[in-house]
Amino acid sequence: MLLEKVKKYLKAIERNNKKGKKINAILQVNPRVLEEARELERKKGKKGKLYGKIIAVKSNINIKGLNASCASKTLENYKCPYNATIIKKIKEEDGLIIGMANMDEFACGSSGETSAFGPTRNPLALDRIPGGSSSGSAAAVAAGFCDLALGSETGGSIRNPASHCGVVGVKPTYGLVSRYGLIDLSMSLDQIGPITKNVEDALLLLNVIKGKDEKDPTTYESKDIKFEKLGKIKIGLPDVKADEKIKELIEEKVKEISKKNNWQIMEIELPHIDLAVQTYYPLVYVEFFSATRRFDGRRFGKKIEDVCGEEVLRRILGGFEISKAEYKGKYYRKALQAKKVIKKEIEKAFEKVDCIIMPTVPKLPHKIGEKIDVEDMYNYDALTIPANLAEVPSISVPAGDIKGIPVGVQILTPRFKEGKMFSLARKFENA
Ligand code: GLN
């Protein structure tokens, strides 16, 4: 049965994935996938928690023998020598990896268009972007190329494409999931998380990949995450900048569900949330610049500056400039201070409410190839970045559509309150 399912997905990939007019969500199919499926079918004893699940993985996560190219010419020929901790865990639970997913180059982007191997198309609106940077992961789930996918996010790269593609995306609490084996964008912010068709699958995958890892000192011990009984919930609704239609859609959804469940809606203020984007980029530029110094062409890959795209180069040059000794860390430190302020504001809001709800992305995805300026591109993440800065979990679930284009709603809860977050998300899913 597993084998049949894999074959069905492979057929779908063959038919609908091709670069150009097609979706281009998968960069590399696992050449051993049929063999591995047979091995799993033959395996004796109790089946693992992920048995029967077929998974696509973002191309910045190491899987032994596959190509974690980061969708960059830099690592075009890089064959991973080891498994990331989360991949080990997935294999231990009998999950089957179907292939490596397209993404923005080195996770720098919000549209999927910065990939060196061509943009990914949105399966629900083929002329539009799927969002990014985990563009291929979200599109693969939405297009029916796999059951589950792994993405990573620094400022929204899981939730943003999940929202545009009409699927579920989870950014866990900072420290819940090991990043050992993730090719990082910005180590102080990066987290790996699931992208799935429904909330239950996201919970399943997160429970498998989470947990303390000696190889990643930022990780914590944690109990199994479970759906909880929700009592009287107080929802915090901040007034945010977003397209009117998106705001209306989300507010109506929140009102409808709150009424049905007898929850209370409270308007809350997050005065510095508008500074999230400006706070985020200096941190990312500096940390990314530092992370890219190993791609000097001597040990592996090509020298990054020689082959990378415009957005990656912008960040390397920007990061180099900000890191110069003469600034004595002035900009980076300022950004860290601003991060603290935003984090405190969100923590303070959680003293009064159980969760914060807002649109995942403030605008609809643009048409592929449409020229949009850097600032507009960065603003796609204006509402997702706050959760990364505050280190809290957030989930995006489909909330409806505007003229056929999916719109997601995100739910933020305090650190390690994933159980509540998933339970709330399920109410939205079932509404
Ligand atoms: N779009 C944001 C950026 O370009 C977020 C990327 C991410 O979360 N990996 O940095």
Side-chain angles (χ1 to χ4, degrees), residues 106-261:
F106 282 103
C108 298
S110 314
S111 71
E113 291 168 302
T114 73
S115 164
F117 308 119
T120 303
R121 287 180 182 273
N122 188 326
L124 281 94
L126 277 175
D127 57 339
R128 296 194 184 248
I129 56 148
S133 65
S134 310
S135 49
S137 304
V141 172
F145 295 165
C146 57
D147 297 311
L148 321 168
L150 284 176
S152 72
E153 77 158 84
T154 315
S157 281
I158 291 174
R159 288 166 289 157
N160 165 312
S163 171
H164 289 326
C165 293
V167 294
V168 173
V170 179
K171 193 276 276 189
T173 302
Y174 185 75
L176 190 74
V177 178
S178 162
R179 288 100 41 93
Y180 178 72
L182 169 75
I183 300 168
D184 52 316
L185 167 59
S186 171
M187 262 302 168
S188 74
L189 297 164
D190 290 337
Q191 272 295 289
I192 294 170
I195 298 180
T196 58
K197 288 172 194 154
N198 56 55
V199 173
E200 201 171 328
D201 275 353
L203 177 68
L204 172 75
L205 185 54
L206 185 58
N207 268 326
V208 169
I209 62 174
K210 71 171 188 53
K212 191 166 175 61
D213 178 14
E214 274 169 16
K215 295 188 177 117
D216 179 352
T218 63
T219 51
Y220 294 83
E221 208 70 70
S222 54
K223 286 205 205 94
D224 240 19
I225 304 161
K226 292 197 176 105
F227 286 118
E228 297 170 3
K229 238 186 127 152
L230 295 169
K232 230 176 148 26
I233 292 289
K234 281 187 194 149
I235 290 183
L237 265 192
D239 185 24
V240 293
K241 284 197 192 112
D243 283 0
E244 273 318 310
K245 281 199 178 124
I246 293 179
K247 268 167 83 163
E248 268 167 37
L249 190 151
I250 302 297
E251 273 170 32
E252 249 164 56
K253 193 105 216 170
V254 172
K255 274 189 199 148
E256 174 200 320
I257 296 170
S258 301
K259 202 169 154 206
K260 212 161 90 192
N261 291 287

